[in-house]
Amino acid sequence: MSESERFQLGTIGALSLSVVSSVSIVICNKALISTLGFSFATTLTSWHLLVTFCSLHVALWMKLFEHKPFDAGAVMGFGVLNGVSIGLLNLSLGFNSVGFYQMTKLAIIPCTVLLETLFFRKRFSRSIQFALTILLVGVGIATVTDLQLNVLGSVLSVLAVITTCIAQIMTNTIQKRFKVSSTQLLYQSCPYQAMTLFVTGPFLDWLLTNQNVFAFKYTPQVLAFIVLSCLISVSVNFSTFLVIGKTSPVTYQVLGHLKTCLVLAFGYVLLHDPFSWQNIFGILIALVGMIVYSYCCSLESQQKASEVSAQLSQAKESESDALLSAENGTVMVSDGVVPKAPVWSSNKDLQA
């Protein structure tokens, strides 16, 4: 199996793991929050990250991956920024309508494209932009119902979008810049993310729900769902870093909207959530956008691979030409050397 085939297989595995784990944790958390009344999402996320760090520490102890320390300041800033973005997204959901929150999530893709174009000189083709537009229109039709605006909620949404975009771009750039794997980056940044949310989580949850997480009645059923949610979160966090590292922040957001469509479908089938023709129509449009985006990405990757192979072949040809010319030049010089006859010195003749 070639290196490109291994990379493609690993990418498909990462995407599949991300979809399955994310849909699973959404269904689990929905039962935990809606059915059992545990509505402390930010605190729950901090527990997710703590469990993820402990799991990775056990994996490190078992030598399943190698610890690779790098720039401590970059790790700390990245971890805190990730924690802040999660908190801002939760605040955005709390202070806005569900429809406006969905619009906030939709805005992450164009904002990411804008930031990567401005600061990283990354170019997105017309076909990619067209596919993303179809996707966003479809997800918007399927999820956005009401748009109630307020100043505080709008400010929180803008901050949530900016911090989320920067955090996801950093996830990709840090892995490439410091040559660390997704597991190594997640292991080192998890404590900072967890502590940021662990300190601010109870206050944010009290602000959003007017309830105290420490005064909640933890029944065995609630504890079981919390443990299950934390276990699934290990796969969610790992696959998130893996997908962004192997693909790009934009592809991860496209995958996130696929998860949204799947969650809507599973909610209708399993939990009998209300479903309308508008949801069905929007999901179908979004799926068309995802298919077009996947096709355009694969087409561009094939073009890049062919360009790289062409450049390598040209480089090899130029090297071989240089070697041939050097050899020919040596032969010509050696051929051009005329053997000289022995020259007798006149002095020696006289002496003789």
Side-chain angles (χ1 to χ4, degrees):
M1 186 181 292
S2 64
E3 187 176 350
S4 61
E5 290 178 345
R6 289 180 182 176
F7 180 79
Q8 290 177 356
L9 189 62
T11 304
I12 293 172
L15 295 172
S16 303
L17 179 64
S18 179
V19 170
V20 172
S21 58
S22 296
V23 173
S24 301
I25 201 170
V26 166
I27 294 173
C28 178
N29 289 347
K30 192 169 184 179
L32 183 62
I33 293 172
S34 302
T35 307
L36 300 176
F38 187 85
S39 54
F40 309 102
T42 310
T43 304
L44 181 63
T45 306
S46 70
W47 297 346
H48 288 170
L49 291 165
L50 285 173
V51 172
T52 300
F53 175 72
C54 293
S55 302
L56 290 176
H57 194 70
V58 172
L60 179 64
W61 178 72
M62 296 173 66
K63 297 182 179 180
L64 296 178
F65 72 96
E66 182 183 354
H67 180 48
K68 185 179 179 181
F70 58 99
D71 191 347
V75 174
M76 184 185 301
F78 170 71
V80 172
L81 181 64
N82 259 308
V84 170
S85 69
I86 294 171
L88 286 171
L89 281 172
N90 289 339
L91 284 173
S92 174
L93 177 60
F95 284 93
N96 290 302
S97 63
V98 176
F100 191 81
Y101 174 72
Q102 292 296 336
M103 287 295 295
T104 299
K105 291 176 67 177
L106 291 176
I108 292 175
I109 284 184
C111 183
T112 304
V113 170
L114 179 63
L115 290 177
E116 288 194 312
T117 303
L118 291 177
F119 296 101
F120 295 92
R121 305 300 180 191
K122 186 174 181 179
R123 293 184 178 181
F124 295 87
S125 63
R126 293 282 181 87
S127 55
I128 293 289
Q129 295 175 12
F130 178 67
L132 291 175
T133 303
I134 296 175
L135 168 67
L136 295 176
V137 170
V139 176
I141 293 173
T143 59
V144 177
T145 52
D146 57 329
L147 290 175
Q148 299 176 8
L149 302 178
N150 63 82
V151 177
L152 179 59
S154 301
V155 171
L156 290 172
S157 294
V158 171
L159 293 176
V161 169
I162 293 174
T163 52
T164 301
C165 293
I166 295 174
Q168 291 181 359
I169 291 173
M170 286 181 67
T171 304
N172 183 273
T173 54
I174 286 177
Q175 291 185 52
K176 293 179 179 178
R177 178 181 176 186
F178 295 101
K179 293 180 173 56
V180 293
S181 67
S182 55
T183 310
Q184 292 167 335
L185 178 59
L186 180 60
Y187 174 71
Q188 295 187 61
S189 62
C190 243
Y192 300 107
Q193 297 182 57
M195 290 308 299
T196 301
L197 295 176
F198 193 77
V199 172
T200 60
F203 173 73
L204 293 180
D205 289 332
W206 173 80
L207 192 65
L208 295 172
T209 64
N210 202 22
Q211 296 180 32
N212 187 354
V213 64
F214 302 109
F216 186 79
K217 186 179 179 180
Y218 292 90
T219 63
Q221 193 175 10
V222 171
L223 291 174
F225 270 92
I226 289 175
V227 171
L228 179 61
S229 178
C230 289
L231 292 176
I232 299 174
S233 72
V234 177
S235 177
V236 173
N237 291 325
F238 173 72
S239 61
T240 297
F241 279 59
L242 192 62
V243 168
I244 296 176
K246 284 185 171 294
T247 57
S248 68
V250 174
T251 300
Y252 175 73
Q253 285 300 321
V254 171
L255 188 68
H257 291 305
L258 172 62
K259 299 172 195 174
T260 301
C261 296
L262 290 175
V263 166
L264 288 174
F266 278 115
Y268 174 71
V269 174
L270 299 178
L271 304 176
H272 304 289
D273 290 342
F275 213 62
S276 64
W277 285 106
Q278 178 182 344
N279 300 128
I280 298 173
F281 181 62
I283 289 174
L284 291 176
I285 294 177
L287 289 175
V288 171
M290 292 174 200
I291 293 170
V292 174
Y293 177 79
S294 302
Y295 174 75
C296 294
C297 286
S298 62
L299 202 63
E300 290 186 1
S301 63
Q302 289 175 2
Q303 290 176 353
K304 288 180 181 178
S306 61
E307 288 176 1
V308 170
S309 62
Q311 290 175 358
L312 288 174
S313 62
Q314 288 177 359
K316 288 181 180 179
E317 288 177 1
S318 61
E319 288 178 1
S320 62
D321 291 341
L323 288 172
L324 287 173
S325 63
E327 290 175 358
N328 292 333
T330 306
V331 171
M332 289 173 63
V333 170
S334 62
D335 290 343
V337 174
V338 179
K340 294 181 179 180
V343 178
W344 295 98
S345 174
S346 57
N347 292 333
K348 285 184 179 179
D349 291 339
L350 288 173
Q351 289 175 0

